[in-house]
């Protein structure tokens, strides 16, 4: 089943003109920021073939869809929360902060918000839709926006720290990433609260507890 405008149409008929779909990417990464996307479509918008949960798309497909979504949306924005904030407040609070930032940056004020199964308090009504990025068109589009934005950020950060191969794994916990951490230690971009202790070189595991992450938190 492809995402569709069923949820948005129900709300449009009730008089909600600006329905925002919101989703985030980067929750499980070991390094880099959390990024949320927010997208509003008008009621006469035509669906774009191929828009779906960003996890189901290839990088090339996401890059192709990004400008099409931007062009067809009446408003879109991203919210970025750094790895420092994630370590300080935790992933759930950081997730909410990224979503609120994205909503606040929209050029149209949403009068209703749909999220991908994530509870959020906002100045307008919010409904968390189970499997939202697979069912709701605006949430799926927001997931593509967020994913492309974050991947581009990680590719830029790769140029500063090429030894970690952020352009390949985008900060997620792959074998290549683990090997780089074992060899080079942690970079300034790593989330200390996310790195499993098995990945850390001896010099890191003997450091002060404030600099270490013992286990990856449950998401």
């Amino acid at each position: 089943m492809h995402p569709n405008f069923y949820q948005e149409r129900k709300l449009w008929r009730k008089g909600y003109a600006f329905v925002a779909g919101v989703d985030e990417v980067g929750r499980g990464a070991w390094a880099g920021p959390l990024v949320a996307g927010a997208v509003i479509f008008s009621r006469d918008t035509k669906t774009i073939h191929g828009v779906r949960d960003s996890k189901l798309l290839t990088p090339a497909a996401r890059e192709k869809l990004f400008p099409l979504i931007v062009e067809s949306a009446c408003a879109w924005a991203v919210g970025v929360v750094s790895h420092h904030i994630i370590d300080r407040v935790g992933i759930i609070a950081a997730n909410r902060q990224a979503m609120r930032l994205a909503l606040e940056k929209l050029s149209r004020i949403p009068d209703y918000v749909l999220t991908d199964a994530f509870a959020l308090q906002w100045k307008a009504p919010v409904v968390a839709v189970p499997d939202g990025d697979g069912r709701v068109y605006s949430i799926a589009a927001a997931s593509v926006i967020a994913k492309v934005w974050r991947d581009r950020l990680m590719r830029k950060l790769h140029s500063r720290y090429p030894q970690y191969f952020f352009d390949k794994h985008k900060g997620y916990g792959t074998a290549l990433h683990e090997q780089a951490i074992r060899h080079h230690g942690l970079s300034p971009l790593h989330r200390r609260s996310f790195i499993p202790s098995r990945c850390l070189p001896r010099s890191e595991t003997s450091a002060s507890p404030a600099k270490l992450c013992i286990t990856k938190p449950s998401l």
Side-chain angles (χ1 to χ4, degrees):
M1 180 178 177
H2 294 279
N4 56 59
F5 279 124
Y6 176 76
Q7 296 290 341
E8 292 92 338
R9 288 194 184 101
K10 287 199 306 182
L11 295 168
W12 291 333
R13 286 194 294 268
K14 292 180 179 179
Y16 296 102
F18 301 120
V19 180
V22 187
D23 200 9
E24 50 67 37
V25 298
R27 282 185 68 180
W30 292 355
L34 184 76
V35 177
V39 181
I40 298 175
F41 293 103
S42 62
R43 62 179 64 206
D44 60 349
T45 301
K46 300 285 193 299
T47 58
I48 301 166
H49 177 71
V51 171
R52 60 179 64 190
D53 174 5
S54 63
K55 297 186 293 295
L56 303 178
L57 298 168
T58 65
R62 290 193 294 263
E63 286 285 350
K64 183 178 179 180
L65 288 168
F66 184 93
L68 300 178
I69 293 170
V70 167
E71 184 178 353
S72 66
C74 66
W76 69 277
V78 296
V80 181
V81 172
S82 74
H83 59 288
H84 295 298
I85 294 175
I86 294 169
D87 276 339
R88 187 168 72 246
V89 305
I91 193 64
I92 301 299
N95 201 333
R96 292 195 175 100
Q97 183 172 339
M99 288 183 165
R100 291 191 188 104
L101 284 172
L103 290 168
E104 289 168 359
K105 290 169 65 177
L106 287 167
S107 59
R108 305 287 181 93
I109 300 174
D111 47 23
Y112 211 99
V113 177
L114 301 171
T115 71
D116 180 27
F118 193 86
L120 182 71
Q121 289 199 340
W122 180 247
K123 59 190 74 174
V126 179
V127 170
V129 182
D131 190 30
D133 52 8
R135 298 168 54 197
V136 180
Y137 187 81
S138 60
I139 298 177
S143 78
V144 174
I145 292 292
K147 178 62 174 168
V148 171
W149 196 274
R150 187 178 186 278
D151 282 358
R152 290 175 180 178
L153 280 176
M154 295 308 294
R155 286 196 294 269
K156 287 182 181 179
L157 293 171
H158 166 73
S159 65
R160 292 168 56 187
Y161 303 98
Q163 67 271 35
Y164 292 96
F165 307 103
F166 290 133
D167 61 327
K168 297 185 184 300
H169 52 69
K170 309 303 188 297
Y172 287 91
T174 66
L176 177 64
H177 194 180
E178 181 171 335
Q179 182 180 11
I181 293 172
R182 287 177 182 274
H183 187 70
H184 300 287
L186 299 181
S187 78
L189 297 175
H190 280 100
R191 305 174 185 177
R192 265 60 182 172
S193 56
F194 270 59
I195 311 296
S197 57
R198 70 173 189 276
C199 301
L200 298 173
R202 188 181 301 273
S203 60
E204 291 281 357
T205 55
S206 60
S208 64
K211 294 187 63 179
L212 299 180
C213 6
I214 304 307
T215 58
K216 181 178 176 181
S218 175
L219 300 185

